[in-house]
Amino acid sequence: MAIWNKDIETMPREKLEELQLKRLQETVNRVYENVKPYREKMDKAGIKPDDIKTLDDLSKLPFTVKQDLRDNYPYGMFAVPMEQVTEIHASSGTTGKQTVVGLTEKDVDIWAEIAARALSAMGVDKNSVVQTSYGFGLFTGGFGAHYGARKIGAVAIPTSSGNSKRQINIMKDFGSTFLCCTPSYALSLSETLVDMGFTKDDIKLQGGAFGAEPWTEEIRQEIQEKLGINAYDIYGLSEIMGPGVGYECADQSGMHINEDHFIVEVIDPETGEVVPDGSMGEIVFTCITKEALPLIRYRTRDIATINKGMCRCGRTFARMSKPMGRSDDMLIIRGVNVFPSQIEEVLMKTEGVAPHYQIIVDRINNKDMLDVLVEVSNKDLTDEIKSLEALSKKVSAEILSVLGIKANIKLVEPKTIARSEGKSVRVIDKRQLH
Ligand code: DLL
């Protein structure tokens, strides 16, 4: 697969780190001058821009968290005057006031560049037809993939999400070769394809860039098989720069971080200390080229590991593991920490259940209860009550042995759990309602 920007993506680490330090120093100076909340935080911590002499000095700087963006809503953390801002995006705001991000023209160019690197690594070239079924709007998914595809010179088809039958018709008629959407929507589209009486041989898809939500290796296999494609993982977050912050190459051994634009650290979420290379922790990013909203040490809440070893593809950019999920998505059930992705992994390894599930947590008589609704892959439920009982027992036993908690497994008919068109909602925690 092609490397879009070979000079940068395969730069020796030493050179890359020199570049990072220079850009970090420039950025810290700039935010100190132009962003009041940063100046105040740094003054409080007794740090001046000149104190950043090496990359290790980054850890002296205070963290930025989502609340900082909310406290300075909407534009209080922008580092440029509004006349230089050319595009605004925002996070969904499901857990509070939405966070607003701004981009200058140069920021948008860099976004297109990093998305082009990502899509090239996944096989997109000038001859590709890229269907983007991420939502277009304040969500960054749609525009990020679109800018990347355009930059490469592929044909960009901005279908946006939803209207699945139309998506399949477009895919077939326009000859889409590459699909960008959430992994859950990719699975849902694969069902629509079959429902419409087609097979994977009726479409020309070869690959897809799926992200914006956690997904397991097992779901990857499922998508690959059902759509007859190579499924790649793409990572990003609106506050840093939508899709393309991290991307898989053909080696599929982690997502390369575009380290010439973002410095990545891993910290212990409890203590805030940087953890040794390769250890699991919370991912923290510092933007070193962003003009409008250069966030310093932004805590993502995503739990993953970083590997700085060179990849077989030749890229020197560090690789991030698939995030297990966000620390704020972690469920504590009867004192046990559980990520929804761990439950997904167990389900996906069990024959007879489909990759469509919902996790419901409630507190009844002061006791946490975990219900897992999962669709059976077998169409004829009634005929097989006995084997279904055995199946639900098997899943329950497996969850108990892997995660150490008891779950009530409720097997449901195929296609009864709502399908998502964007980020899926897999967990309903009713405990918050009591
Ligand atoms: O989800 C940006 C994006 C769009 C990335 C399209 C990839 C593809 P936000 O809506 O701000 O931005 O949500 C960011 O989504 O902190 C992660 O928790 C999660 N996330 C994003 N990509 C992945 C991934 C976009 N590949 C939040 N695997 C992040 C797991 C992901 N989680």
Side-chain angles (χ1 to χ4, degrees), residues 134 139-141 211-214 233-238 243 302 323 326 423:
Y134 285 118
F139 176 53
T140 53
E213 63 185 8
D233 203 349
I234 185 161
Y235 171 86
L237 59 165
S238 1
D302 291 323
R326 298 169 61 82
K423 292 181 192 253

Side-chain angles (χ1 to χ4, degrees), residues 35-38 40-41 64-78 97-100 293:
V35 187
K36 192 164 159 251
Y38 273 128
E40 285 173 356
K41 268 196 181 197
T64 309
V65 293
K66 212 176 186 95
Q67 192 58 40
D68 292 312
L69 291 164
R70 292 198 174 124
D71 290 346
N72 295 287
Y73 175 87
Y75 303 146
M77 292 194 65
F78 285 13
K97 205 190 264 180
Q98 59 183 3
T99 45
V100 180
L293 187 63

Side-chain angles (χ1 to χ4, degrees), residues 66 90-92 99 111 134 138-142 144-145 180-183 209-215 232-246 255 285 298-303 320-329 423:
K66 212 176 186 95
S91 72
S92 54
T99 45
W111 190 11
Y134 285 118
L138 291 179
F139 176 53
T140 53
C180 301
C181 63
T182 58
F210 306 116
E213 63 185 8
W215 54 309
Y232 297 96
D233 203 349
I234 185 161
Y235 171 86
L237 59 165
S238 1
E239 297 90 321
I240 301 301
M241 188 81 106
V245 173
M255 292 180 276
F285 287 110
Y298 186 70
R299 292 187 61 161
T300 62
R301 303 272 164 203
D302 291 323
I303 304 295
M320 171 179 162
S321 66
K322 264 183 178 302
M324 283 183 82
R326 298 169 61 82
S327 55
D328 31 14
D329 288 343
K423 292 181 192 253

Side-chain angles (χ1 to χ4, degrees), residues 21 26 31 34 59 62 81 87-88 118 139 153 200 255-256 260 277 286 298 307 333 425:
L21 178 61
E26 284 164 7
V31 297
N34 301 328
S59 63
E87 197 163 313
I88 293 283
F139 176 53
K200 58 188 175 190
M255 292 180 276
H256 290 285
D260 55 329
D277 277 356
T286 297
Y298 186 70
N307 171 1
I333 301 169
V425 182

Side-chain angles (χ1 to χ4, degrees), residues 197-221:
F198 302 122
T199 71
K200 58 188 175 190
D201 298 331
D202 294 311
I203 53 171
K204 292 197 178 133
L205 276 193
Q206 289 164 6
F210 306 116
E213 63 185 8
W215 54 309
T216 53
E217 282 303 326
E218 289 76 12
I219 293 279
R220 189 207 301 268
Q221 297 309 325

